[in-house]
């Protein structure tokens, strides 16, 4: 996933919109929710990051 590479190279601002677009069409994607949480944390958007991290955890525990 390109967003994962962007995060690894410190490009969270570029990864965020791509992940949000992906999640509009595939909301139960636990990996994308986790990556978006990481991107948001890197951007200092902690409250939003917590929401997506929780969602990723729930999806992992109860896959669709």
């Amino acid at each position: 996933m390109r967003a994962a590479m962007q995060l690894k190279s410190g490009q969270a601002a570029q990864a965020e919109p791509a992940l949000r677009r992906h999640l509009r069409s595939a909301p139960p994607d636990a990996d994308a929710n986790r990556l978006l949480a990481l991107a948001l944390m890197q951007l200092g958007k902690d409250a939003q990051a917590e929401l997506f991290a929780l969602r990723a955890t729930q999806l992992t525990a109860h896959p669709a």
Side-chain angles (χ1 to χ4, degrees), residues 4 6-7 9 20 26-27 29 33 47 49-52 57 60-61 63:
Q6 289 173 319
L7 287 175
S9 64
R20 288 186 184 274
D29 185 334
N33 277 281
E50 186 176 348
L51 171 76
F52 286 97
T57 301
T60 303

Side-chain angles (χ1 to χ4, degrees), residues 1 4 20 23 31 34-35 38 42 52 55 59 62 64:
M1 180 177 273
R20 288 186 184 274
L23 286 171
D31 287 334
R34 181 183 59 78
L35 289 172
L38 292 172
Q42 288 181 16
F52 286 97
R55 188 176 297 164
L59 289 167
H62 306 287

